[in-house]
Amino acid sequence: MLLPVLAASAAPEKGQKTTPAHPQETQTPALVDAAKLRDLLPEPPAGWKAERAETQSSSGDDEIHIRTARRSYYTGPGEKDPTAAVTIIDSTNNADYFDADEEGGWEQESKTEDGYDKRLVLDGMKVIEHYSKEAATGSLSVFVGNRYFVQIELTNDDPAKLYDWLKRIDLAKLAALK
């Protein structure tokens, strides 16, 4: 499951608000250039190969504006060989997704026989971690710089390696992108 994000601006893109309808509203910032996001996708680790990075934009008359950069990684051609995907998402108006302050605070964990779901704070960033034994999949969604989402998905690999993939991304550089 991919998640959305928030931004800070230059010139507005087509369909984005340029003046607030109400004095309390703020402008919807422009999305970051796709090449800047693509450049932050990691190179494959030793023993892995990578597909060509892809970018995609979605904006228009609706209220959702998203730009993504995604790259898939694999270790072999077999169905049981480990695979990974890293997606970086810039969305100009969805920062409140991680603002939900539920009873008991952000950090929560639930476990079942099939896996777990965790919400935690890592170096000041809100994180959602999920693992399913049955599907042999794990995912990590990290909210970076109050604007970006980094989504890491692993299949047929140890879920602890999600954090190894996260370390391969320059999160400080991502947070500073405008």
Side-chain angles (χ1 to χ4, degrees):
M1 176 175 131
L2 295 179
L3 305 173
V5 165
L6 161 63
S9 144
E13 292 193 356
K14 181 182 176 190
Q16 292 184 315
K17 297 176 188 174
T18 56
T19 58
H22 303 288
Q24 314 80 318
E25 290 184 20
T26 59
Q27 289 182 307
T28 302
L31 295 166
V32 164
D33 183 80
K36 290 181 180 180
L37 297 178
R38 186 181 55 238
D39 290 347
L40 289 169
L41 293 170
E43 291 300 316
W48 288 72
K49 297 176 180 96
E51 300 288 332
R52 184 174 178 199
E54 300 175 356
T55 60
Q56 185 175 30
S57 298
S58 171
S59 64
D61 295 334
D62 61 2
E63 293 295 317
I64 297 177
H65 306 279
I66 296 173
R67 178 156 294 139
T68 64
R70 179 180 174 88
R71 192 169 192 189
S72 297
Y73 306 82
Y74 58 96
T75 57
E79 194 175 294
K80 296 292 183 181
D81 290 326
T83 63
V86 177
T87 306
I88 300 174
I89 305 165
D90 178 8
S91 169
T92 61
N93 57 353
N94 291 310
D96 58 348
Y97 182 84
F98 275 92
D99 284 343
D101 192 15
E102 297 183 15
E103 192 174 315
W106 174 261
E107 297 184 76
Q108 297 180 9
E109 181 175 355
S110 65
K111 292 182 179 183
T112 66
E113 288 182 21
D114 183 47
Y116 60 83
D117 287 291
K118 297 179 187 178
R119 295 188 325 170
L120 55 123
V121 177
L122 177 70
D123 296 331
M125 298 174 290
K126 290 184 177 177
V127 175
I128 298 174
E129 182 181 346
H130 170 79
Y131 179 68
S132 169
K133 290 178 190 175
E134 183 179 338
T137 61
S139 66
L140 193 65
S141 300
V142 183
F143 190 43
V144 180
N146 204 32
R147 174 177 179 151
Y148 302 98
F149 289 92
V150 172
Q151 175 79 33
I152 301 167
E153 301 166 283
L154 287 179
T155 304
N156 299 323
D157 210 349
D158 180 353
K161 292 184 181 177
L162 288 164
Y163 292 92
D164 295 338
W165 282 93
L166 185 62
K167 290 175 189 174
R168 300 180 65 75
I169 302 166
D170 188 339
L171 299 176
K173 187 173 181 179
L174 176 61
L177 281 182
K178 303 282 185 229

